[in-house]
Amino acid sequence: MPAPIEDDWSDSDEEIGTGGVETDVLLGVPDGSVETESDVKDAAVSRIGGLPALLPSPEPPFSSSQCKVCSNPMELLVQVWCPFEDSPMDRALYIWGCARTACQRQAGSVRAWRGLRYNATYASKLEKKKARKQAQEKARSPPPVPAPAASPFSMQGSPAPMAFGLGDAIFGQPASDPPIQSASEEEGDDHSDAESDASSSSEHSLITAMASATVSASFWEAAPSYPALYLSTMSEYIPQPPKSKIPANARIEDPAEDDSKAGKDVSWAFEAYENSLEVDNVFDRFTKRVSHTGEQCIRYELKGTPLPFASDKVFEALFPAPPQDPLPVTKAEFKVVPAVKRSYSTASIPTCPSCKSNRVFECQLMPNLINVLRDSVQDKEADVRKLTDEQRIKAVQDALKRSREPGSRGMEWGTCMVFSCENDCCLSEEGKDLKEAWREEYVLVQWDD
């Protein structure tokens, strides 16, 4: 029997150990309706549904939101404010989805774009922060020691120290003590650093809000949309697994162990049984992982690993099984083949068309987003508490009738994964640097069977 393939392609709850763990994944959850006009126009306000607050100016072509199957404009599913760390570029991610039943399971019915815009004010802050950091590193470096006179061909001299203490950082040696500063100098530097770090994110958001492009007097204003909801983030936390309830004096017997003691090969007995189970282990892992925070609508982990929904073609492409040596035929050549493991790979993801760099996983939409969008529409169309019994029955009948029509609507995906340029390039077709960019990214969809 061939060696089993261990699907260790994702963080397993079984590997948590005795305590819970906080992962690197940020979870996006709904957080009430967006009501203020300023938040609607602020690109730094992440949202579920609503109209997009577009960064590039002039605004990008309206065709960006059109479904590639039916050519109709799609609703915005989410907008995520996600600038890269230490980048002078304002950055937001926009994901649209088509809800027409005929477009489901078709490529191009979910599209993702990233908007970039150079932020001169924030870029100036970054330059000052960089200069201050370099000055601090220079102050910590020891003064250069003049080398003794020697023959220019001598090999006995010591190598020159690396700039900024790079050698110390690589080899783990402690840095030299910095020169002593006066109390006023220390307080001034600490206050400047604290003030800069504490206000950088909020000021960045404020600058974006003041300069973000609007969608007034354009096709975007008349685009179809879901009610806008705030999208708040929280860290993913996987709690401690429950303890086993097996009594301390219980005896666990393994029939395979007993049969092997009798000299029998029982691998065939378990192979037929296991293969007969119609269980998708990938989906089981997905369900178990998501159940810890069921209200999540998006998972965000730049350069992380996506959480696959099911063992389909998308899963096989992202988590390919390594090739295995053919098994020996005769008993004389019998050997134990170790179990092989799947590993995550982006080899099947096309590179960025602008800079030819690799694309990396950035985020994925979760099934609960469909429920949230559907519920928000129902709440907007009618307040159920104010309907009479007769009106409520008619509303249900109308909904069932619409679901049977050819143009009925309803999204059917299990998860939508977005892969973005790892360099977050902002280039023209000729390869020149730009102040603004609007680039489509790669989306992989796993459909709900």
Side-chain angles (χ1 to χ4, degrees), residues 263-285:
K264 297 179 181 180
D265 182 8
V266 298
S267 60
W268 59 269
F270 293 95
E271 181 178 9
Y273 175 74
E274 292 175 354
N275 290 341
S276 65
L277 288 178
E278 296 181 358
V279 176
D280 189 340
N281 293 326
V282 178
F283 178 74
D284 285 348
R285 284 194 177 190

Side-chain angles (χ1 to χ4, degrees), residues 280 310-317 445-447 449:
D280 189 340
S311 55
D312 56 4
K313 293 182 179 180
V314 173
F315 170 75
E316 293 292 340
V445 181
Q446 288 188 289
W447 301 98
D449 294 330

Side-chain angles (χ1 to χ4, degrees), residues 57-299:
S57 179
E59 60 192 31
F62 184 68
S63 58
S64 303
S65 66
Q66 290 179 331
C67 174
K68 290 187 176 181
V69 181
C70 65
S71 299
N72 290 321
M74 301 183 290
E75 290 89 352
L76 179 71
L77 302 181
V78 295
Q79 174 178 331
V80 183
W81 173 250
C82 47
F84 278 18
E85 186 178 3
D86 294 333
S87 171
M89 306 299 292
D90 291 337
R91 183 178 187 272
L93 190 67
Y94 308 81
I95 306 176
W96 280 273
C98 185
R100 293 182 73 251
T101 303
C103 298
Q104 303 306 296
R105 306 180 185 278
Q106 303 290 330
S109 61
V110 180
R111 302 177 68 180
W113 295 76
R114 60 181 168 96
L116 300 175
R117 185 186 57 204
Y118 182 75
N119 191 323
T121 305
Y122 192 69
S124 177
K125 286 183 174 292
L126 288 178
E127 288 297 328
K128 293 179 181 179
K129 183 178 179 181
K130 181 179 179 181
R132 184 166 58 251
K133 184 178 180 181
Q134 290 177 347
Q136 291 174 350
E137 291 177 348
K138 185 177 180 179
R140 295 189 186 100
S141 301
V145 179
S151 169
F153 302 101
S154 173
M155 301 295 292
Q156 299 177 357
S158 58
M162 294 184 179
F164 305 109
L166 182 59
D168 291 343
I170 293 177
F171 295 102
Q173 299 175 358
S176 302
D177 293 333
I180 299 177
Q181 293 180 313
S182 64
S184 60
E185 290 177 340
E186 287 186 355
E187 291 177 0
D189 290 345
D190 292 343
H191 176 72
S192 176
D193 292 343
E195 182 180 5
S196 176
D197 294 340
S199 62
S200 60
S201 60
S202 60
E203 289 183 0
H204 197 187
S205 174
L206 179 60
I207 293 167
T208 303
M210 294 171 59
S212 61
T214 65
V215 295
S216 60
S218 71
F219 289 105
W220 292 102
E221 185 181 16
S225 64
Y226 297 107
L229 303 173
Y230 288 108
L231 181 64
S232 297
T233 57
M234 58 186 296
S235 297
E236 181 187 41
Y237 180 79
I238 302 177
Q240 177 180 351
K243 296 182 179 180
S244 175
K245 297 181 180 180
I246 300 177
N249 59 349
R251 178 185 177 186
I252 303 176
E253 298 182 354
D254 187 354
E257 181 180 356
D258 295 339
D259 290 341
S260 60
K261 292 178 180 179
K264 297 179 181 180
D265 182 8
V266 298
S267 60
W268 59 269
F270 293 95
E271 181 178 9
Y273 175 74
E274 292 175 354
N275 290 341
S276 65
L277 288 178
E278 296 181 358
V279 176
D280 189 340
N281 293 326
V282 178
F283 178 74
D284 285 348
R285 284 194 177 190
F286 180 92
T287 304
K288 184 178 180 181
R289 184 71 172 266
V290 175
S291 64
H292 299 304
T293 312
E295 64 270 26
Q296 61 184 274
C297 293
I298 184 172
R299 296 173 64 87

